[in-house]
Amino acid sequence: MLTLDGYLLAPRREEFSLAVDTYETWSLLLPRSGAFAYEVTGVPRGVAKFGDIVICPPGGALWRRMLRPTAVFHARFSTKLEPPVGRTRLLDLDRLRADLAMLDEDHPSLVATHVVTDLVLLASRAHRPGDKLVLEATAYLHDHFTSPDLSLGDLADQLGISPAQFSRRFKAAHGVTPAHYLRRTRLRRARELLTETDDTLQTIAEHSGYRSAFYLSRVFTNHTGQSPSQYRQTVRV
């Protein structure tokens, strides 16, 4: 189904080694953190952040520029599949995180082939017919979850349906309500910042969609069984 021709798991850096490159095979590029601007031959330019995957076809040119320090995963591969060209917003971010985490395991070449295959399948699945309203809502939540003013009721109005119908259709697609999905996304971001930074709890709250450190601490403790400070100590032992 897919043959891996090479890959690079690059740590956070301020710029790409090359601003543009052309590949004889398929290639993909995705940010593990940060964000970059991109342009692929034949498709509109845009910006990619975590959860996005940019795919370039054989012979196409891939232009890229980091907008802030960014860690990336890049791979070149051959396949008989027809991956979607350009930027795709992946829907299953938990699966994306699991895929990227596997790259740190033993037998990296074998693992990388599996990871790239799965990423291509995830990108292809995101383009299959489905509940477009739920897809739009999911993308909106991932783009705006850091805003404490985000209102699920307003989002339902924006989509043109009632809150009850929105919740029912969202749960049918994701298995959880929009409120549960939003809280899970915010808490995941808080855990990442507790693990990866020395930011204060107030700063982490502001970057996770909560107005105050007190409120974040209460939600975090209720849903994880640990306070933020306890969690930070545990993951840094």
Side-chain angles (χ1 to χ4, degrees), residues 177-206:
T177 64
H180 182 113
Y181 191 94
L182 177 59
R183 182 177 63 247
R184 186 174 68 184
T185 301
R186 285 172 166 168
L187 290 177
R188 181 185 298 114
R189 181 56 176 160
R191 288 195 296 270
E192 290 174 350
L193 293 173
L194 286 166
T195 301
E196 299 173 3
T197 75
D198 294 317
D199 291 346
T200 65
L201 191 57
Q202 179 61 37
T203 298
I204 290 174
E206 293 170 357

PDB file of all heavy atoms in Angstrom, residues 177-206:
ATOM      1  N   THR A 177     -20.548  14.477  23.750  1.00  0.00           N
ATOM      2  CA  THR A 177     -21.223  15.729  23.466  1.00  0.00           C
ATOM      3  C   THR A 177     -20.207  16.814  23.107  1.00  0.00           C
ATOM      4  O   THR A 177     -19.015  16.685  23.420  1.00  0.00           O
ATOM      5  CB  THR A 177     -22.032  16.199  24.684  1.00  0.00           C
ATOM      6  OG1 THR A 177     -21.125  16.477  25.764  1.00  0.00           O
ATOM      7  CG2 THR A 177     -23.033  15.131  25.112  1.00  0.00           C
ATOM      8  N   PRO A 178     -20.645  17.902  22.490  1.00  0.00           N
ATOM      9  CA  PRO A 178     -19.717  19.000  22.210  1.00  0.00           C
ATOM     10  C   PRO A 178     -19.055  19.551  23.472  1.00  0.00           C
ATOM     11  O   PRO A 178     -17.866  19.885  23.454  1.00  0.00           O
ATOM     12  CB  PRO A 178     -20.605  20.052  21.546  1.00  0.00           C
ATOM     13  CG  PRO A 178     -21.748  19.283  20.975  1.00  0.00           C
ATOM     14  CD  PRO A 178     -21.977  18.140  21.913  1.00  0.00           C
ATOM     15  N   ALA A 179     -19.819  19.635  24.575  1.00  0.00           N
ATOM     16  CA  ALA A 179     -19.256  20.153  25.825  1.00  0.00           C
ATOM     17  C   ALA A 179     -18.149  19.247  26.345  1.00  0.00           C
ATOM     18  O   ALA A 179     -17.095  19.719  26.792  1.00  0.00           O
ATOM     19  CB  ALA A 179     -20.361  20.302  26.875  1.00  0.00           C
ATOM     20  N   HIS A 180     -18.368  17.936  26.275  1.00  0.00           N
ATOM     21  CA  HIS A 180     -17.354  16.983  26.713  1.00  0.00           C
ATOM     22  C   HIS A 180     -16.123  17.082  25.817  1.00  0.00           C
ATOM     23  O   HIS A 180     -14.983  17.079  26.298  1.00  0.00           O
ATOM     24  CB  HIS A 180     -17.933  15.566  26.674  1.00  0.00           C
ATOM     25  CG  HIS A 180     -17.000  14.506  27.145  1.00  0.00           C
ATOM     26  ND1 HIS A 180     -17.194  13.783  28.296  1.00  0.00           N
ATOM     27  CD2 HIS A 180     -15.834  14.031  26.626  1.00  0.00           C
ATOM     28  CE1 HIS A 180     -16.205  12.930  28.475  1.00  0.00           C
ATOM     29  NE2 HIS A 180     -15.367  13.051  27.454  1.00  0.00           N
ATOM     30  N   TYR A 181     -16.328  17.186  24.519  1.00  0.00           N
ATOM     31  CA  TYR A 181     -15.227  17.264  23.556  1.00  0.00           C
ATOM     32  C   TYR A 181     -14.403  18.513  23.793  1.00  0.00           C
ATOM     33  O   TYR A 181     -13.167  18.477  23.776  1.00  0.00           O
ATOM     34  CB  TYR A 181     -15.805  17.254  22.147  1.00  0.00           C
ATOM     35  CG  TYR A 181     -14.780  17.068  21.044  1.00  0.00           C
ATOM     36  CD1 TYR A 181     -14.502  15.803  20.537  1.00  0.00           C
ATOM     37  CD2 TYR A 181     -14.112  18.158  20.495  1.00  0.00           C
ATOM     38  CE1 TYR A 181     -13.582  15.626  19.512  1.00  0.00           C
ATOM     39  CE2 TYR A 181     -13.189  17.993  19.483  1.00  0.00           C
ATOM     40  CZ  TYR A 181     -12.930  16.725  18.994  1.00  0.00           C
ATOM     41  OH  TYR A 181     -12.007  16.560  17.999  1.00  0.00           O
ATOM     42  N   LEU A 182     -15.093  19.631  24.038  1.00  0.00           N
ATOM     43  CA  LEU A 182     -14.401  20.899  24.273  1.00  0.00           C
ATOM     44  C   LEU A 182     -13.586  20.836  25.557  1.00  0.00           C
ATOM     45  O   LEU A 182     -12.422  21.260  25.582  1.00  0.00           O
ATOM     46  CB  LEU A 182     -15.413  22.037  24.352  1.00  0.00           C
ATOM     47  CG  LEU A 182     -14.866  23.425  24.675  1.00  0.00           C
ATOM     48  CD1 LEU A 182     -13.843  23.862  23.632  1.00  0.00           C
ATOM     49  CD2 LEU A 182     -16.009  24.431  24.759  1.00  0.00           C
ATOM     50  N   ARG A 183     -14.179  20.307  26.620  1.00  0.00           N
ATOM     51  CA  ARG A 183     -13.455  20.198  27.887  1.00  0.00           C
ATOM     52  C   ARG A 183     -12.245  19.282  27.744  1.00  0.00           C
ATOM     53  O   ARG A 183     -11.154  19.588  28.242  1.00  0.00           O
ATOM     54  CB  ARG A 183     -14.382  19.676  28.986  1.00  0.00           C
ATOM     55  CG  ARG A 183     -13.697  19.588  30.350  1.00  0.00           C
ATOM     56  CD  ARG A 183     -14.664  19.147  31.439  1.00  0.00           C
ATOM     57  NE  ARG A 183     -15.188  17.817  31.224  1.00  0.00           N
ATOM     58  CZ  ARG A 183     -16.461  17.545  30.943  1.00  0.00           C
ATOM     59  NH1 ARG A 183     -17.357  18.523  30.841  1.00  0.00           N
ATOM     60  NH2 ARG A 183     -16.861  16.303  30.750  1.00  0.00           N
ATOM     61  N   ARG A 184     -12.408  18.175  27.054  1.00  0.00           N
ATOM     62  CA  ARG A 184     -11.303  17.236  26.854  1.00  0.00           C
ATOM     63  C   ARG A 184     -10.172  17.888  26.069  1.00  0.00           C
ATOM     64  O   ARG A 184      -8.988  17.700  26.386  1.00  0.00           O
ATOM     65  CB  ARG A 184     -11.808  15.993  26.116  1.00  0.00           C
ATOM     66  CG  ARG A 184     -10.780  14.884  25.966  1.00  0.00           C
ATOM     67  CD  ARG A 184     -11.420  13.646  25.351  1.00  0.00           C
ATOM     68  NE  ARG A 184     -11.810  13.868  23.972  1.00  0.00           N
ATOM     69  CZ  ARG A 184     -12.465  12.967  23.231  1.00  0.00           C
ATOM     70  NH1 ARG A 184     -12.829  11.814  23.764  1.00  0.00           N
ATOM     71  NH2 ARG A 184     -12.772  13.220  21.984  1.00  0.00           N
ATOM     72  N   THR A 185     -10.516  18.678  25.061  1.00  0.00           N
ATOM     73  CA  THR A 185      -9.507  19.370  24.259  1.00  0.00           C
ATOM     74  C   THR A 185      -8.756  20.394  25.098  1.00  0.00           C
ATOM     75  O   THR A 185      -7.526  20.516  25.013  1.00  0.00           O
ATOM     76  CB  THR A 185     -10.175  20.054  23.053  1.00  0.00           C
ATOM     77  OG1 THR A 185     -10.854  19.067  22.266  1.00  0.00           O
ATOM     78  CG2 THR A 185      -9.138  20.754  22.184  1.00  0.00           C
ATOM     79  N   ARG A 186      -9.480  21.145  25.908  1.00  0.00           N
ATOM     80  CA  ARG A 186      -8.845  22.146  26.763  1.00  0.00           C
ATOM     81  C   ARG A 186      -7.938  21.510  27.808  1.00  0.00           C
ATOM     82  O   ARG A 186      -6.818  21.988  28.059  1.00  0.00           O
ATOM     83  CB  ARG A 186      -9.923  22.996  27.437  1.00  0.00           C
ATOM     84  CG  ARG A 186     -10.564  24.011  26.494  1.00  0.00           C
ATOM     85  CD  ARG A 186     -11.743  24.704  27.122  1.00  0.00           C
ATOM     86  NE  ARG A 186     -12.128  25.892  26.344  1.00  0.00           N
ATOM     87  CZ  ARG A 186     -13.261  26.550  26.525  1.00  0.00           C
ATOM     88  NH1 ARG A 186     -14.130  26.156  27.451  1.00  0.00           N
ATOM     89  NH2 ARG A 186     -13.523  27.610  25.784  1.00  0.00           N
ATOM     90  N   LEU A 187      -8.409  20.434  28.425  1.00  0.00           N
ATOM     91  CA  LEU A 187      -7.590  19.780  29.446  1.00  0.00           C
ATOM     92  C   LEU A 187      -6.357  19.114  28.835  1.00  0.00           C
ATOM     93  O   LEU A 187      -5.294  19.078  29.456  1.00  0.00           O
ATOM     94  CB  LEU A 187      -8.425  18.746  30.214  1.00  0.00           C
ATOM     95  CG  LEU A 187      -9.493  19.329  31.146  1.00  0.00           C
ATOM     96  CD1 LEU A 187     -10.296  18.208  31.796  1.00  0.00           C
ATOM     97  CD2 LEU A 187      -8.856  20.206  32.222  1.00  0.00           C
ATOM     98  N   ARG A 188      -6.490  18.608  27.635  1.00  0.00           N
ATOM     99  CA  ARG A 188      -5.321  18.032  26.966  1.00  0.00           C
ATOM    100  C   ARG A 188      -4.266  19.104  26.728  1.00  0.00           C
ATOM    101  O   ARG A 188      -3.068  18.879  26.935  1.00  0.00           O
ATOM    102  CB  ARG A 188      -5.717  17.395  25.637  1.00  0.00           C
ATOM    103  CG  ARG A 188      -4.535  16.755  24.892  1.00  0.00           C
ATOM    104  CD  ARG A 188      -4.922  16.239  23.535  1.00  0.00           C
ATOM    105  NE  ARG A 188      -5.921  15.203  23.619  1.00  0.00           N
ATOM    106  CZ  ARG A 188      -7.165  15.315  23.158  1.00  0.00           C
ATOM    107  NH1 ARG A 188      -7.555  16.447  22.607  1.00  0.00           N
ATOM    108  NH2 ARG A 188      -8.007  14.317  23.246  1.00  0.00           N
ATOM    109  N   ARG A 189      -4.717  20.283  26.314  1.00  0.00           N
ATOM    110  CA  ARG A 189      -3.772  21.382  26.109  1.00  0.00           C
ATOM    111  C   ARG A 189      -3.129  21.788  27.421  1.00  0.00           C
ATOM    112  O   ARG A 189      -1.912  22.059  27.475  1.00  0.00           O
ATOM    113  CB  ARG A 189      -4.506  22.577  25.486  1.00  0.00           C
ATOM    114  CG  ARG A 189      -3.602  23.784  25.209  1.00  0.00           C
ATOM    115  CD  ARG A 189      -2.435  23.394  24.325  1.00  0.00           C
ATOM    116  NE  ARG A 189      -1.613  24.529  23.977  1.00  0.00           N
ATOM    117  CZ  ARG A 189      -0.353  24.427  23.558  1.00  0.00           C
ATOM    118  NH1 ARG A 189       0.220  23.237  23.444  1.00  0.00           N
ATOM    119  NH2 ARG A 189       0.334  25.496  23.249  1.00  0.00           N
ATOM    120  N   ALA A 190      -3.906  21.827  28.492  1.00  0.00           N
ATOM    121  CA  ALA A 190      -3.346  22.172  29.804  1.00  0.00           C
ATOM    122  C   ALA A 190      -2.296  21.155  30.224  1.00  0.00           C
ATOM    123  O   ALA A 190      -1.231  21.515  30.743  1.00  0.00           O
ATOM    124  CB  ALA A 190      -4.464  22.246  30.841  1.00  0.00           C
ATOM    125  N   ARG A 191      -2.555  19.873  29.997  1.00  0.00           N
ATOM    126  CA  ARG A 191      -1.567  18.840  30.344  1.00  0.00           C
ATOM    127  C   ARG A 191      -0.292  19.014  29.537  1.00  0.00           C
ATOM    128  O   ARG A 191       0.814  18.842  30.055  1.00  0.00           O
ATOM    129  CB  ARG A 191      -2.161  17.439  30.120  1.00  0.00           C
ATOM    130  CG  ARG A 191      -3.215  17.034  31.133  1.00  0.00           C
ATOM    131  CD  ARG A 191      -3.477  15.533  31.084  1.00  0.00           C
ATOM    132  NE  ARG A 191      -4.026  15.134  29.797  1.00  0.00           N
ATOM    133  CZ  ARG A 191      -5.328  15.095  29.518  1.00  0.00           C
ATOM    134  NH1 ARG A 191      -6.213  15.467  30.433  1.00  0.00           N
ATOM    135  NH2 ARG A 191      -5.760  14.706  28.338  1.00  0.00           N
ATOM    136  N   GLU A 192      -0.425  19.333  28.252  1.00  0.00           N
ATOM    137  CA  GLU A 192       0.758  19.546  27.418  1.00  0.00           C
ATOM    138  C   GLU A 192       1.603  20.697  27.958  1.00  0.00           C
ATOM    139  O   GLU A 192       2.834  20.594  28.048  1.00  0.00           O
ATOM    140  CB  GLU A 192       0.323  19.837  25.979  1.00  0.00           C
ATOM    141  CG  GLU A 192      -0.277  18.650  25.246  1.00  0.00           C
ATOM    142  CD  GLU A 192      -0.820  19.028  23.885  1.00  0.00           C
ATOM    143  OE1 GLU A 192      -0.901  20.251  23.600  1.00  0.00           O
ATOM    144  OE2 GLU A 192      -1.204  18.129  23.119  1.00  0.00           O
ATOM    145  N   LEU A 193       0.954  21.794  28.331  1.00  0.00           N
ATOM    146  CA  LEU A 193       1.687  22.959  28.824  1.00  0.00           C
ATOM    147  C   LEU A 193       2.294  22.698  30.203  1.00  0.00           C
ATOM    148  O   LEU A 193       3.397  23.169  30.499  1.00  0.00           O
ATOM    149  CB  LEU A 193       0.755  24.168  28.880  1.00  0.00           C
ATOM    150  CG  LEU A 193       0.280  24.674  27.514  1.00  0.00           C
ATOM    151  CD1 LEU A 193      -0.773  25.763  27.680  1.00  0.00           C
ATOM    152  CD2 LEU A 193       1.449  25.185  26.684  1.00  0.00           C
ATOM    153  N   LEU A 194       1.608  21.935  31.033  1.00  0.00           N
ATOM    154  CA  LEU A 194       2.165  21.571  32.341  1.00  0.00           C
ATOM    155  C   LEU A 194       3.408  20.704  32.174  1.00  0.00           C
ATOM    156  O   LEU A 194       4.354  20.792  32.958  1.00  0.00           O
ATOM    157  CB  LEU A 194       1.116  20.825  33.178  1.00  0.00           C
ATOM    158  CG  LEU A 194      -0.013  21.676  33.761  1.00  0.00           C
ATOM    159  CD1 LEU A 194      -1.140  20.771  34.267  1.00  0.00           C
ATOM    160  CD2 LEU A 194       0.499  22.570  34.884  1.00  0.00           C
ATOM    161  N   THR A 195       3.402  19.881  31.135  1.00  0.00           N
ATOM    162  CA  THR A 195       4.517  18.961  30.890  1.00  0.00           C
ATOM    163  C   THR A 195       5.691  19.658  30.210  1.00  0.00           C
ATOM    164  O   THR A 195       6.850  19.436  30.571  1.00  0.00           O
ATOM    165  CB  THR A 195       4.040  17.779  30.020  1.00  0.00           C
ATOM    166  OG1 THR A 195       2.973  17.095  30.682  1.00  0.00           O
ATOM    167  CG2 THR A 195       5.181  16.798  29.765  1.00  0.00           C
ATOM    168  N   GLU A 196       5.389  20.508  29.243  1.00  0.00           N
ATOM    169  CA  GLU A 196       6.423  21.025  28.347  1.00  0.00           C
ATOM    170  C   GLU A 196       6.951  22.402  28.720  1.00  0.00           C
ATOM    171  O   GLU A 196       7.979  22.829  28.175  1.00  0.00           O
ATOM    172  CB  GLU A 196       5.873  21.078  26.920  1.00  0.00           C
ATOM    173  CG  GLU A 196       5.465  19.711  26.373  1.00  0.00           C
ATOM    174  CD  GLU A 196       4.772  19.806  25.035  1.00  0.00           C
ATOM    175  OE1 GLU A 196       4.656  20.946  24.510  1.00  0.00           O
ATOM    176  OE2 GLU A 196       4.336  18.770  24.513  1.00  0.00           O
ATOM    177  N   THR A 197       6.267  23.117  29.624  1.00  0.00           N
ATOM    178  CA  THR A 197       6.688  24.480  29.943  1.00  0.00           C
ATOM    179  C   THR A 197       6.785  24.679  31.450  1.00  0.00           C
ATOM    180  O   THR A 197       6.329  23.851  32.239  1.00  0.00           O
ATOM    181  CB  THR A 197       5.690  25.525  29.383  1.00  0.00           C
ATOM    182  OG1 THR A 197       4.506  25.541  30.200  1.00  0.00           O
ATOM    183  CG2 THR A 197       5.311  25.198  27.951  1.00  0.00           C
ATOM    184  N   ASP A 198       7.358  25.813  31.818  1.00  0.00           N
ATOM    185  CA  ASP A 198       7.386  26.241  33.218  1.00  0.00           C
ATOM    186  C   ASP A 198       6.413  27.396  33.439  1.00  0.00           C
ATOM    187  O   ASP A 198       6.532  28.143  34.419  1.00  0.00           O
ATOM    188  CB  ASP A 198       8.805  26.674  33.605  1.00  0.00           C
ATOM    189  CG  ASP A 198       9.790  25.508  33.588  1.00  0.00           C
ATOM    190  OD1 ASP A 198       9.424  24.431  34.082  1.00  0.00           O
ATOM    191  OD2 ASP A 198      10.908  25.675  33.066  1.00  0.00           O
ATOM    192  N   ASP A 199       5.457  27.548  32.550  1.00  0.00           N
ATOM    193  CA  ASP A 199       4.492  28.637  32.660  1.00  0.00           C
ATOM    194  C   ASP A 199       3.709  28.552  33.955  1.00  0.00           C
ATOM    195  O   ASP A 199       3.469  27.450  34.494  1.00  0.00           O
ATOM    196  CB  ASP A 199       3.510  28.596  31.487  1.00  0.00           C
ATOM    197  CG  ASP A 199       4.160  28.943  30.158  1.00  0.00           C
ATOM    198  OD1 ASP A 199       5.289  29.466  30.184  1.00  0.00           O
ATOM    199  OD2 ASP A 199       3.535  28.683  29.122  1.00  0.00           O
ATOM    200  N   THR A 200       3.281  29.704  34.454  1.00  0.00           N
ATOM    201  CA  THR A 200       2.433  29.719  35.637  1.00  0.00           C
ATOM    202  C   THR A 200       1.076  29.123  35.297  1.00  0.00           C
ATOM    203  O   THR A 200       0.668  29.049  34.117  1.00  0.00           O
ATOM    204  CB  THR A 200       2.225  31.151  36.145  1.00  0.00           C
ATOM    205  OG1 THR A 200       1.479  31.891  35.154  1.00  0.00           O
ATOM    206  CG2 THR A 200       3.566  31.834  36.407  1.00  0.00           C
ATOM    207  N   LEU A 201       0.337  28.730  36.328  1.00  0.00           N
ATOM    208  CA  LEU A 201      -0.978  28.135  36.098  1.00  0.00           C
ATOM    209  C   LEU A 201      -1.933  29.147  35.465  1.00  0.00           C
ATOM    210  O   LEU A 201      -2.782  28.769  34.647  1.00  0.00           O
ATOM    211  CB  LEU A 201      -1.551  27.604  37.412  1.00  0.00           C
ATOM    212  CG  LEU A 201      -2.799  26.715  37.276  1.00  0.00           C
ATOM    213  CD1 LEU A 201      -2.503  25.522  36.382  1.00  0.00           C
ATOM    214  CD2 LEU A 201      -3.271  26.249  38.650  1.00  0.00           C
ATOM    215  N   GLN A 202      -1.790  30.416  35.807  1.00  0.00           N
ATOM    216  CA  GLN A 202      -2.644  31.440  35.196  1.00  0.00           C
ATOM    217  C   GLN A 202      -2.367  31.541  33.692  1.00  0.00           C
ATOM    218  O   GLN A 202      -3.296  31.627  32.888  1.00  0.00           O
ATOM    219  CB  GLN A 202      -2.408  32.798  35.866  1.00  0.00           C
ATOM    220  CG  GLN A 202      -3.232  33.934  35.273  1.00  0.00           C
ATOM    221  CD  GLN A 202      -4.727  33.713  35.399  1.00  0.00           C
ATOM    222  OE1 GLN A 202      -5.205  33.174  36.400  1.00  0.00           O
ATOM    223  NE2 GLN A 202      -5.482  34.105  34.385  1.00  0.00           N
ATOM    224  N   THR A 203      -1.091  31.513  33.315  1.00  0.00           N
ATOM    225  CA  THR A 203      -0.748  31.563  31.892  1.00  0.00           C
ATOM    226  C   THR A 203      -1.275  30.332  31.168  1.00  0.00           C
ATOM    227  O   THR A 203      -1.803  30.430  30.051  1.00  0.00           O
ATOM    228  CB  THR A 203       0.777  31.667  31.717  1.00  0.00           C
ATOM    229  OG1 THR A 203       1.242  32.871  32.317  1.00  0.00           O
ATOM    230  CG2 THR A 203       1.165  31.657  30.242  1.00  0.00           C
ATOM    231  N   ILE A 204      -1.132  29.173  31.794  1.00  0.00           N
ATOM    232  CA  ILE A 204      -1.632  27.937  31.182  1.00  0.00           C
ATOM    233  C   ILE A 204      -3.145  28.007  31.031  1.00  0.00           C
ATOM    234  O   ILE A 204      -3.697  27.590  30.002  1.00  0.00           O
ATOM    235  CB  ILE A 204      -1.207  26.722  32.033  1.00  0.00           C
ATOM    236  CG1 ILE A 204       0.307  26.524  31.918  1.00  0.00           C
ATOM    237  CG2 ILE A 204      -1.954  25.464  31.591  1.00  0.00           C
ATOM    238  CD1 ILE A 204       0.852  25.442  32.826  1.00  0.00           C
ATOM    239  N   ALA A 205      -3.830  28.532  32.040  1.00  0.00           N
ATOM    240  CA  ALA A 205      -5.280  28.680  31.955  1.00  0.00           C
ATOM    241  C   ALA A 205      -5.664  29.539  30.758  1.00  0.00           C
ATOM    242  O   ALA A 205      -6.562  29.192  29.973  1.00  0.00           O
ATOM    243  CB  ALA A 205      -5.817  29.292  33.250  1.00  0.00           C
ATOM    244  N   GLU A 206      -4.972  30.648  30.594  1.00  0.00           N
ATOM    245  CA  GLU A 206      -5.285  31.575  29.499  1.00  0.00           C
ATOM    246  C   GLU A 206      -5.024  30.964  28.130  1.00  0.00           C
ATOM    247  O   GLU A 206      -5.668  31.347  27.153  1.00  0.00           O
ATOM    248  CB  GLU A 206      -4.463  32.859  29.670  1.00  0.00           C
ATOM    249  CG  GLU A 206      -4.861  33.667  30.900  1.00  0.00           C
ATOM    250  CD  GLU A 206      -3.889  34.804  31.198  1.00  0.00           C
ATOM    251  OE1 GLU A 206      -2.868  34.910  30.465  1.00  0.00           O
ATOM    252  OE2 GLU A 206      -4.136  35.555  32.154  1.00  0.00           O
TER     253      GLU A 206
END
